[in-house]
Amino acid sequence: MHPLKRLFAYASRYRRDFRLATAYSVLNKFFDILPEVLIGVAVDVVVKGEESFLAKQVLVGLGISDVWHQLLFLGFINVLIWGGESLFQYLYEVKWRQLAQDIQHDLRLDAYQHVQKLEMAYFENQRTGNLLSILNDDVNQMERFVNGGANQIIQVFCSSIMVSAVFFALQPSIALIALLPVPLILFGAFWFQNRLAPRYTEVREAAGDVSARLNNNLLGLATIKAFAAEGFEASHIDAASRHYRAANARAIRISAAITPVIRMAILSGFTATLIYGGWLTIHGELAVGAYSVLVFLTQRLLWPLTGLAEVADMYQRSMAAIERALNLLDTPINIPYEGQHFPAQGVKGELRFEQVGFSYDGRPTLADINLTIGAGQTVAFVGSTGSGKSTLVKLLLRFYAAQHGRILLDGQAIDSLNLQDLRRAIGYVAQDSFLTDGTVAENIAYGLDSVSDADIAAAAQAAEATEFISKLPLGFATRIGERGQKLSGGQRQRLALARAILKNPPILILDEATSAVDNETEAAIQRSLDVVSRGRTTIVIAHRLSTVRQADCIHVLENGRIVESGQHTSLLAQNGSYAALWRLQTGERSN
């Protein structure tokens, strides 16, 4: 489907606003062309006096024939015309701009909400900067088209129809001559448009590349500085920007040619009207007033068509942008949110994995996982990098869908449960937790409504975060910067843990939550976990085996399979994979 049709289908809720905006544009154009007609009538009055068309055909019933009175009447009509034109210009500008803002807001919000519902696998093949380019630049480009381009197209079309009607009413032969360039102009505009379309698609993609590179570099600025790689990364930005500039240049070479081509076609039509109409007037076959109207209206008919160049350029830029935005909105959601609702307070927390298997791009990550985690148990998963520990948790959170087998919560398959309710029942603390550019209190209460200051303070106390929070300039009201960059890694982790504690979920997941903190912070977090894990199912993923010694059960994963299970002491006694990892980390030697 054409992007414009897709846009109208998407914005179907605004059909009434589209109709009103179109009506205002049409009425504005109607009043806009009347001054030229009025000039012709005035010339006719001055030349013919009491024998003018106005006196004989319009004012005859009022008994007005005096030239001065005719001119006064024309002055009154002129005021009405300019007043009508101004009124409807105000109305169409307000309506089109408001319509553009409404659709822009809806499209950006709908696209963003849709992106949030896409499975994590989608983002593995996407660049964040490109998504930002679609959600921001492309949506803005659509807004500019609805704001100005739609009105221009309507008014050029209406102007052509209205002026043509006047031409045929006054002198059909001149009308044919004046309209002769129009098919050539339209053909040229569409010819250029078809060649601009792929070039502007390339421009939008190149813009996405630049945005992606800039976003990636800004997020990794500390690493770039640490490796003194500013020049290296600047060369990448230079290459991406050069590609964008080259893509734009290819489009500009075509778009810049539209206006000169249309201008030459207009020249032929205007010259023919000027000469042929003058010849007819000299030989008495056309009134002087009518000739004046035709000369003025020829420009009114043809000159707006030069705007087709600008409109075609804006149109193609917008269609490429609309296509990208609506394609994003049409991306299928492979993990549905719908399902059976349930309250988090009623969850016991028993988990069962039955023959669970999963692969990334054809590479097996988990295979034949069978285990049961009892309600209220603390279970740990350990193993080397890439063994499948984090994948297991991501399947439980339904960031990905299990390709084989199933996962059950309290005896119900999680893919039959409402996705939001499932995630509300789980507290998740990752190795690199997301923090907003808000206050400490806002980050602890993230995602929760109506949380008291006392509850926030209690959660911070349980996470052993109160001491460092009290030393901040404004305490809980201190803003911590984008992604919490004003805090240390350990402080960020304590806030993330406090957030999970405040949520009070029946299931708590800690995914490498202590791997990037110092020993003191690790000990503090461990003390907090010993308290908050009581009475709830807790899953701990860890590289440091010292943090999971007290777990009810430890599962060792290798190549996506569970190879050992048991408590710390029994696993050491087995002298298998776990014991080898323990000796590696502690430096103990086997006898």
Side-chain angles (χ1 to χ4, degrees):
M1 185 186 296
H2 191 276
L4 192 58
K5 289 184 178 179
R6 294 176 67 187
L7 179 64
F8 285 143
Y10 168 77
S12 59
R13 76 194 80 174
Y14 296 110
R15 285 175 182 169
R16 181 176 180 275
D17 295 296
F18 271 115
R19 285 194 288 266
L20 273 176
T22 301
Y24 295 152
S25 293
V26 171
L27 289 170
N28 168 260
K29 182 50 61 178
F30 171 75
F31 282 104
D32 184 48
I33 66 171
L34 288 180
E36 277 76 7
V37 177
L38 209 62
I39 291 173
V41 174
V43 171
D44 188 60
V45 168
V46 172
V47 172
K48 293 187 176 181
E50 296 182 359
E51 298 299 318
S52 69
F53 172 82
L54 186 65
K56 294 292 186 180
Q57 301 294 328
V58 179
L59 301 179
V60 62
L62 300 176
I64 298 177
S65 59
D66 181 72
V67 173
W68 176 244
H69 288 159
Q70 291 184 58
L71 291 176
L72 289 177
F73 176 79
L74 288 177
F76 173 72
I77 296 299
N78 186 55
V79 171
L80 292 181
I81 290 173
W82 281 81
E85 180 186 2
S86 299
L87 171 64
F88 287 109
Q89 180 175 358
Y90 170 78
L91 291 175
Y92 86 63
E93 285 191 358
V94 169
K95 182 57 69 174
W96 280 118
R97 288 181 181 182
Q98 186 60 54
L99 187 59
Q101 292 298 317
D102 289 342
I103 297 175
Q104 176 195 47
H105 170 77
D106 288 352
L107 183 56
R108 178 177 287 118
L109 186 61
D110 288 346
Y112 173 71
Q113 290 178 332
H114 187 81
V115 166
Q116 289 189 117
K117 294 179 179 180
L118 296 174
E119 72 280 7
M120 297 303 293
Y122 171 81
F123 299 97
E124 293 170 1
N125 299 314
Q126 296 290 329
R127 291 168 297 175
T128 303
N130 189 50
L131 291 175
L132 287 174
S133 177
I134 294 174
L135 293 172
N136 192 38
D137 296 343
D138 289 346
V139 173
N140 288 344
Q141 188 69 47
M142 178 280 303
E143 181 265 340
R144 285 191 286 272
F145 170 72
V146 175
N147 186 32
N151 172 69
Q152 285 181 272
I153 292 173
I154 291 170
Q155 292 211 326
V156 167
F157 176 77
C158 290
S159 176
S160 301
I161 297 297
M162 293 176 184
V163 172
S164 298
V166 175
F167 263 70
F168 278 103
L170 294 177
Q171 183 54 257
S173 60
I174 293 182
L176 291 174
I177 294 174
L179 293 175
L180 197 60
V182 172
L184 178 62
I185 292 171
L186 294 178
F187 173 80
F190 284 112
W191 187 89
F192 281 112
Q193 174 187 309
N194 289 333
R195 279 148 185 80
L196 277 173
R199 286 167 173 79
Y200 277 131
T201 298
E202 183 184 6
V203 168
R204 298 315 310 158
E205 294 295 337
D209 288 341
V210 174
S211 180
R213 175 64 67 175
L214 288 171
N215 178 74
N216 183 72
N217 286 9
L218 290 174
L219 290 176
L221 200 55
T223 301
I224 293 172
K225 288 177 176 293
F227 281 84
E230 290 92 339
F232 176 73
E233 290 299 342
S235 67
H236 285 164
I237 298 298
D238 178 65
S241 185
R242 284 177 182 272
H243 176 60
Y244 174 61
R245 185 176 66 179
N248 252 318
R250 287 190 287 272
I252 290 170
R253 280 194 291 270
I254 294 179
S255 65
I258 302 177
T259 298
V261 170
I262 292 177
R263 192 186 298 270
M264 296 310 296
I266 291 171
L267 173 64
S268 63
F270 181 73
T271 302
T273 302
L274 186 70
I275 295 175
Y276 181 57
W279 187 86
L280 291 177
T281 304
I282 292 172
H283 290 80
E285 297 182 27
L286 184 65
V288 174
Y291 175 61
S292 301
V293 172
L294 293 176
V295 170
F296 281 113
L297 284 183
T298 300
Q299 277 199 311
R300 178 66 69 172
L301 169 67
L302 298 179
W303 193 251
L305 294 177
T306 59
L308 286 176
E310 180 184 350
V311 172
D313 187 74
M314 181 190 299
Y315 176 81
Q316 284 307 332
R317 287 180 182 267
S318 301
M319 290 307 103
I322 290 169
E323 186 84 15
R324 278 165 41 96
L326 293 179
N327 283 346
L328 177 61
L329 196 60
D330 289 343
T331 303
I333 297 173
N334 295 324
I335 300 179
Y337 272 53
E338 296 76 15
Q340 180 182 339
H341 286 280
F342 64 95
Q345 298 83 354
V347 173
K348 296 177 181 178
E350 181 189 67
L351 296 168
R352 194 160 71 245
F353 294 76
E354 297 180 347
Q355 298 291 321
V356 172
F358 185 79
S359 299
Y360 284 112
D361 298 326
R363 295 176 286 105
T365 306
L366 292 174
D368 298 326
I369 299 297
N370 290 283
L371 65 93
T372 299
I373 302 174
Q377 281 190 332
T378 296
V379 173
F381 293 95
V382 300
S384 59
T385 301
S387 59
K389 305 183 299 297
S390 294
T391 301
L392 203 62
V393 166
K394 291 174 181 177
L395 293 180
L396 175 58
L397 285 162
R398 293 188 69 197
F399 290 165
Y400 302 91
Q403 296 161 348
H404 304 285
R406 60 178 186 163
I407 304 172
L408 296 92
L409 171 61
D410 292 343
Q412 291 185 293
I414 61 172
D415 55 5
S416 69
L417 302 176
N418 180 271
L419 188 55
Q420 294 288 67
D421 289 346
L422 173 67
R423 290 173 179 168
R424 289 190 184 102
I426 301 174
Y428 180 58
V429 182
Q431 179 179 353
D432 183 19
S433 294
F434 170 74
L435 297 177
T436 67
D437 183 18
T439 65
V440 170
E442 288 169 346
N443 275 277
I444 294 176
Y446 181 76
L448 300 176
D449 298 322
S450 304
V451 180
S452 69
D453 292 341
D455 289 338
I456 293 174
Q461 182 67 41
E464 297 201 18
T466 305
E467 181 180 354
F468 87 80
I469 293 175
S470 64
K471 296 178 181 178
L472 296 175
L474 298 176
F476 282 91
T478 303
R479 300 188 72 88
I480 61 175
E482 187 177 14
R483 301 184 68 84
Q485 61 185 352
K486 294 182 181 180
L487 303 179
S488 68
Q491 291 170 338
R492 290 196 294 268
Q493 284 303 86
R494 294 192 204 190
L495 286 192
L497 181 58
R499 174 193 295 171
I501 293 171
L502 183 61
K503 186 178 180 181
N504 193 27
I507 301 172
L508 179 62
I509 297 175
L510 302 163
D511 188 357
E512 305 282 9
T514 63
S515 63
V517 299
D518 55 50
N519 292 331
E520 180 182 352
T521 302
E522 180 187 350
I525 293 176
Q526 191 62 49
R527 289 192 298 269
S528 301
L529 292 179
D530 291 340
V531 175
V532 302
S533 62
R534 295 170 189 166
R536 74 181 84 238
T537 303
T538 305
I539 298 175
V540 182
I541 295 174
H543 276 298
R544 296 183 184 178
L545 303 186
S546 58
T547 62
V548 299
R549 293 180 60 178
Q550 305 304 319
D552 296 317
C553 186
I554 302 171
H555 299 282
V556 183
L557 276 78
E558 289 183 2
N559 299 320
R561 297 178 182 272
I562 297 176
V563 295
E564 289 180 1
S565 297
Q567 292 185 326
H568 173 72
T569 53
S570 64
L571 288 173
L572 287 180
Q574 292 180 28
N575 198 28
S577 298
Y578 182 83
L581 286 173
W582 179 262
R583 289 192 295 270
L584 181 65
Q585 292 188 13
T586 61
E588 294 181 5
R589 296 183 179 180
S590 57
N591 296 326

